[in-house]
Amino acid sequence: MTTLLPLADEPTPERADAARNRQAILAAALRLVETRGVACVTMDTVASEAGVGKGTLFRRFESREGLMAAVLNESETAWQASVISGPPPLGPGAPPLERLLAFGHSRLRTNLTHADLIAAAGRPGARSAAAVSFANMHVRYLLGELGVTGDLLMLATALLAPLEMVVLEQQVNREHISIERIEAGWDDLVRRVVGGSPTGGDGAARR
Amino acid sequence: MTTLLPLADEPTPERADAARNRQAILAAALRLVETRGVACVTMDTVASEAGVGKGTLFRRFESREGLMAAVLNESETAWQASVISGPPPLGPGAPPLERLLAFGHSRLRTNLTHADLIAAAGRPGARSAAAVSFANMHVRYLLGELGVTGDLLMLATALLAPLEMVVLEQQVNREHISIERIEAGWDDLVRRVVGGSPTGGDGAARR
DNA sequence: GGTCCAAACGGACCGCAGTCCGGTTCTATT
DNA sequence: AATAGAACCGGACTGCGGTCCGTTTGGACC
């Protein structure tokens, strides 16, 4: 819980060998995941593959979920970059509504692509809650740009919720709904939320 | 996968001793969960407590997640009953919008109450996708009553998504958002979706 | 360069989920 | 009622995630 995020200036930043090992572990894990698939990657394998003791591995990443979250975080970061400074309509330059729709579609595809890794990374407790926060903040920003009023934190959460893997898995694997339909559904949701009558932001709306 | 749901008329309905054991296991599991908490309930414990071999336990419930799902299913069923035929506003008798709001609140509380059990029951793959379907169907019905048009399956999913534990956990444990605020946020979402301008069901709405 | 200690290392060890297979018990059939 | 065979039972066994602790190493300070 303490060393999940590598803060810049802690009392002890990080020892050289520790950093080297973290890199080795992460590289080995990534390679193994791509090669054998997430399910077949054991902690012992990663450890020996990285030329490192098992204990080291667990001290660095806390748990298997933590390790997977770290691996996942690599691509997550790249995605965030493309949202912040990539080409439109996902990146800046397009009108807010288009950006928002593009955001949803992109998130949808990304989640689906990394489905098994997300599953292995477990619930967002171990996984970076930062990822969730980022998405939420961005949606909130776009909603603001669109002139939506109300509890934007809640509204953003509501928009992001249908894009969570738990929901998507149910739709795709269980109910066999096409991705296009899911996208269309999300677009519809966004338009209703954005274009809906403003409640004014207070909770005492009319019944 | 085959015997997850007890179908009524299979070639081999179920042998008497098997049924007896299933009951014993379920009872023991329920008791242990309430006593020690989900985290401390091991399969060995349940087995010995139920006076049954470990193999039996796994044949009946497939996995630990399966067992937990079965335990969870008990209260889930009771809840479904109160939705279908309980007192209003959750049950029938109240106007649709009130029912819908009550439904959300009730679901929210219920999920929060059984948080750890839901976590232990794992992703809805092993868990009864039926539970999800039920909720979805009910919301769809209420949306229909409210005269909402469009892809009701998607709309219902969108309304239910923010009530999933993955989302709630993030809000409650990570962001420390009060339950009242979550409720209010959901109410707002519902009103926007219900009261929003009807898109007519096609995706070609105005920008 | 030498000393010292906190931090990192690594592999033996533990507990639990899940499997396997020989023995047992139920039920349909004659 | 006796028989046959299918379904069930149970506990020994395996593999993996996670912990523990004696040992090693990095680097700050002298």
Side-chain angles (χ1 to χ4, degrees):
Chain A
M1 177 84 66
T2 59
T3 55
L4 271 182
L5 303 177
L7 273 330
D9 45 354
E10 278 183 15
T12 307
E14 187 168 63
R15 240 166 67 171
D17 53 347
R20 220 181 314 125
N21 280 338
R22 147 172 289 137
Q23 286 311 108
I25 292 171
L26 222 42
L30 183 57
R31 182 156 26 95
L32 286 172
V33 165
E34 297 184 329
T35 308
R36 312 187 188 179
V38 178
C40 298
V41 176
T42 78
M43 293 303 261
D44 290 83
T45 311
V46 174
S48 77
E49 190 78 6
V52 149
K54 207 177 174 183
T56 303
L57 208 155
F58 274 92
R59 186 170 331 93
R60 275 288 156 289
F61 297 96
E62 194 145 284
S63 69
R64 186 192 143 94
E65 294 192 351
L67 176 59
M68 294 308 180
V71 172
L72 182 61
N73 200 40
E74 301 291 272
S75 35
E76 191 80 9
T77 304
W79 180 74
Q80 292 184 6
S82 73
V83 169
I84 294 179
S85 57
L90 183 57
L97 183 57
E98 275 189 36
R99 280 195 79 184
L100 185 50
L101 294 178
F103 176 89
H105 296 183
S106 177
R107 178 108 191 130
L108 180 64
R109 307 276 178 162
T110 304
N111 275 349
L112 248 26
T113 302
H114 302 116
D116 46 358
L117 204 48
I118 292 177
R123 41 207 86 269
R127 178 148 124 253
S128 57
V132 181
S133 301
F134 168 80
N136 195 297
M137 198 179 322
H138 187 66
V139 170
R140 235 154 60 208
Y141 162 72
L142 290 176
L143 287 179
E145 291 290 300
L146 285 165
V148 175
T149 59
D151 193 338
L152 292 191
L153 177 60
M154 288 297 135
L155 239 31
T157 303
L159 289 183
L160 288 170
L163 303 178
E164 284 290 323
M165 263 314 294
V166 203
V167 179
L168 292 181
E169 192 198 307
Q170 166 79 15
Q171 295 183 290
V172 173
N173 296 140
R174 231 57 64 179
E175 303 174 354
H176 304 292
I177 300 177
S178 76
I179 298 185
E180 289 73 21
R181 188 173 170 197
I182 300 180
E183 279 185 349
W186 197 75
D187 293 354
D188 184 29
L189 174 68
V190 168
R191 292 213 179 78
R192 285 173 189 263
V193 166
V194 170
S197 64
T199 57
D202 68 348
R206 81 274 180 256
R207 298 277 296 264
Chain B
M1 181 77 71
T2 59
T3 56
L4 271 182
L5 303 177
L7 274 329
D9 45 354
E10 280 184 11
T12 307
E14 185 167 65
R15 242 166 66 172
D17 52 348
R20 223 180 313 125
N21 279 339
R22 148 172 288 139
Q23 286 311 110
I25 291 170
L26 223 41
L30 182 57
R31 183 155 26 95
L32 285 172
V33 165
E34 298 185 329
T35 308
R36 311 187 188 180
V38 178
C40 297
V41 176
T42 79
M43 295 302 263
D44 291 83
T45 312
V46 174
S48 77
E49 190 76 5
V52 149
K54 206 176 173 181
T56 304
L57 207 155
F58 275 92
R59 184 167 336 91
R60 276 287 156 286
F61 296 97
E62 192 142 287
S63 68
R64 185 192 143 95
E65 293 192 352
L67 175 58
M68 294 309 180
V71 171
L72 182 61
N73 201 39
E74 299 292 272
S75 36
E76 192 79 9
T77 304
W79 180 75
Q80 292 183 6
S82 74
V83 169
I84 295 179
S85 59
L90 184 58
L97 182 57
E98 276 188 36
R99 279 196 80 183
L100 185 51
L101 295 178
F103 176 88
H105 298 183
S106 178
R107 179 108 190 132
L108 180 65
R109 307 277 176 162
T110 304
N111 275 349
L112 249 25
T113 302
H114 302 117
D116 46 359
L117 203 49
I118 292 177
R123 42 206 87 271
R127 178 148 123 253
S128 56
V132 182
S133 302
F134 168 80
N136 196 297
M137 196 181 321
H138 187 66
V139 170
R140 235 154 60 209
Y141 162 72
L142 290 177
L143 287 178
E145 291 290 299
L146 284 164
V148 175
T149 59
D151 192 337
L152 292 192
L153 177 59
M154 287 297 135
L155 240 29
T157 303
L159 289 183
L160 287 171
L163 303 178
E164 285 291 323
M165 263 314 295
V166 204
V167 180
L168 292 182
E169 191 197 308
Q170 167 80 13
Q171 294 182 291
V172 173
N173 296 139
R174 231 57 65 179
E175 304 174 352
H176 304 291
I177 300 177
S178 75
I179 298 185
E180 288 73 23
R181 187 173 171 195
I182 299 179
E183 279 186 350
W186 197 75
D187 293 353
D188 184 29
L189 175 68
V190 169
R191 292 214 178 78
R192 285 173 188 262
V193 166
V194 169
S197 65
T199 58
D202 67 349
R206 82 276 180 251
R207 291 265 305 272

